[in-house]
Amino acid sequence: MNEMARSAEKLKILVVEDSEGDFILLEESLREEFLEPEIERAVTFSAAAKLLKSRSDYDTILLDLTLPDARGTELVTDILELAGQIPVIVLTGYLDKNFGIQTLSLGVSDYLLKDEIEPIQLYKSISYSRERKRIVNQLAHSEEKYRNLFQLSPQPMWLCDLETFRFLNVNEAAIKHYGYSLDEFLSMTIRDIYPVEDIPILEERIRTTSASGSLYFRGTVRHKKKNGEIIDVDLQSNIINFDNTKNQLVLANDITEKLNYISSIQSQNEKLKEIAWIQSHVVRAPIARMIGLIDLIKNFGDGEVNKRELIEHLLNSAYELDGIVRDITNKTELIELGNKE
């Protein structure tokens, strides 16, 4: 990380992590990427709740999903309620894609796998999460700031009519990412960027949201680009006053690559487990023979058995075991190579 990036504002970060080892690694990464960050640690949900109730000036919360007194989605929901406008980034060892989608849908800013975290990745996640939160908060409170932030946002954004759901305006990022021109967008409704099979889900969400009178939506949906590509999107929407009318402002974050990566890691781990299980049974055969041969050599005296012949059998079993180990190594390396590609 260059000095310009490290010389940015000094952040106040709350790390909710009960593992001493994981906390040390996170602290080292944070100090490597940020200039003199103020880092506080809570090892339980109760301790984190006490800190969040006493101060609300944290810039980011890094949350482990398994704590001594809370875990999983319930923990995420409770932390989000206490965090208010503070971005929450989940750090976990879970590799399940559906769980990742569920966690993002709850309202966390990002979802990172502990074993895959690099300092620069953590820096980007914190920076992008804070920027997204800043943009959404400012747009919700200031029509004047909206006009500039809308077009300068690096993520797709659009404004649509609350009754017809027709696009009223889209930013340049949306035009580039989805492939439609501005004129094409303005002739469409949000239904046109959903896969046909997902439109009933969209309609139900619209009915539910309208009935509840909710002004805010956060969830993961599927969108369709102009070229037909289906993408997973973390969607945030709110109601703003624009040109003296209430309209829906939407921020769309494409998380397809992240979710596909989680799925690929999970699939490769399953392959490794399968190899380990199969090979462990194959390995037992030569080991059992070797143990039996060694017992014969050890327990019988001269003349009772042909030790030279037994030693020959012992060597053959050792060579067989060596071949099995090499086969395991080669298969593992092929899986790792596929992961890198």
Side-chain angles (χ1 to χ4, degrees):
M1 175 62 58
N2 59 54
E3 190 61 25
M4 181 175 294
R6 295 190 73 252
S7 64
E9 61 180 309
K10 298 179 181 179
L11 302 184
K12 299 180 182 69
I13 301 172
L14 174 60
V15 180
V16 187
E17 173 60 75
D18 63 324
S19 168
E20 183 68 22
D22 288 344
F23 173 73
I24 291 173
L25 291 176
L26 286 170
E27 186 178 40
E28 290 176 350
S29 296
L30 290 169
R31 297 195 183 282
E32 179 179 336
E33 297 297 326
F34 297 97
L35 181 62
E36 299 179 1
E38 180 183 333
I39 302 172
E40 288 195 61
R41 180 190 180 194
V43 298
T44 64
F45 167 73
S46 299
K50 185 176 180 180
L51 287 172
L52 288 169
K53 289 176 182 177
S54 64
R55 61 183 295 184
S56 59
D57 61 341
Y58 293 108
D59 294 292
T60 304
I61 298 172
L62 303 181
L63 175 66
D64 176 35
L65 275 185
T66 306
L67 300 176
D69 57 347
R71 64 177 57 203
T73 55
E74 184 177 352
L75 169 61
V76 173
T77 301
D78 290 340
I79 286 290
L80 286 171
E81 183 177 352
L82 292 166
Q85 298 301 316
I86 305 171
V88 177
I89 298 173
V90 164
L91 308 174
T92 180
Y94 289 116
L95 294 174
D96 184 72
K97 177 178 178 180
N98 291 330
F99 186 81
I101 293 175
Q102 183 182 9
T103 304
L104 289 169
S105 299
L106 291 173
V108 301
S109 296
D110 205 354
Y111 173 89
L112 301 178
L113 300 178
K114 285 185 178 180
D115 293 340
E116 305 297 329
I117 293 177
E118 296 290 342
I120 186 63
Q121 183 187 15
L122 188 59
Y123 169 81
K124 288 181 178 179
S125 180
I126 291 175
S127 298
Y128 292 168
S129 296
R130 294 183 65 242
E131 180 65 13
R132 285 198 299 270
K133 185 69 75 172
R134 181 182 70 83
I135 290 174
V136 171
N137 291 342
Q138 288 183 339
L139 287 175
H141 294 90
S142 174
E143 182 178 339
E144 181 181 355
K145 292 182 179 179
Y146 151 74
R147 299 182 186 275
N148 290 328
L149 291 172
F150 182 83
Q151 288 301 338
L152 295 176
S153 171
Q155 292 183 327
M157 297 180 69
W158 55 78
L159 194 69
C160 65
D161 183 271
L162 273 176
E163 294 184 1
T164 65
F165 292 98
R166 184 172 295 281
F167 288 100
L168 300 176
N169 197 5
V170 296
N171 70 353
E172 188 63 28
I175 292 171
K176 290 181 178 179
H177 198 73
Y178 284 79
Y180 296 100
S181 68
L182 177 59
D183 288 340
E184 287 174 322
F185 263 120
L186 297 182
S187 68
M188 298 160 53
T189 72
I190 59 172
R191 295 173 178 82
D192 295 317
I193 62 170
Y194 277 76
V196 174
E197 61 272 22
D198 288 4
I199 291 180
I201 300 174
L202 169 65
E203 300 286 1
E204 179 60 29
R205 192 182 80 229
I206 292 173
R207 285 193 294 269
T208 303
T209 303
S210 300
S212 66
S214 174
L215 299 179
Y216 177 78
F217 172 79
R218 173 71 185 270
T220 302
V221 302
R222 297 199 311 162
H223 279 172
K224 180 179 66 175
K225 293 185 177 182
K226 184 177 180 178
N227 62 8
E229 179 186 354
I230 305 298
I231 58 176
D232 293 295
V233 179
D234 174 29
L235 209 64
Q236 298 181 62
S237 68
N238 214 329
I239 307 302
I240 68 166
N241 289 314
F242 180 73
D243 287 344
N244 297 319
T245 60
K246 287 185 176 181
N247 297 289
Q248 186 180 50
L249 178 68
V250 179
L251 176 67
N253 178 27
D254 187 345
I255 58 172
T256 308
E257 186 175 343
K258 175 187 286 291
L259 295 180
N260 286 341
Y261 176 72
I262 293 173
S263 293
S264 67
I265 292 295
Q266 184 181 15
S267 174
Q268 287 153 7
N269 282 353
E270 291 300 322
K271 290 180 182 178
L272 286 172
K273 289 179 183 178
E274 182 181 353
I275 290 173
W277 186 87
I278 293 174
Q279 297 295 358
S280 67
H281 289 71
V282 176
V283 166
R284 289 174 185 168
I287 289 179
R289 287 199 300 272
M290 291 173 70
I291 292 173
L293 290 167
I294 291 171
D295 283 341
L296 284 175
I297 294 172
K298 177 181 178 181
N299 296 327
F300 289 94
D302 292 339
E304 293 183 79
V305 294
N306 187 335
K307 290 188 177 181
R308 183 184 297 276
E309 183 178 348
L310 291 177
I311 291 173
E312 186 68 27
H313 287 308
L314 186 61
L315 283 172
N316 289 337
S317 295
Y319 290 141
E320 180 182 351
L321 182 59
D322 179 65
I324 292 171
V325 172
R326 290 176 182 272
D327 184 45
I328 293 174
T329 302
N330 290 336
K331 289 181 178 179
T332 303
E333 288 177 348
L334 285 174
I335 291 176
E336 292 177 347
L337 180 61
N339 183 32
K340 292 179 181 179
E341 292 177 348

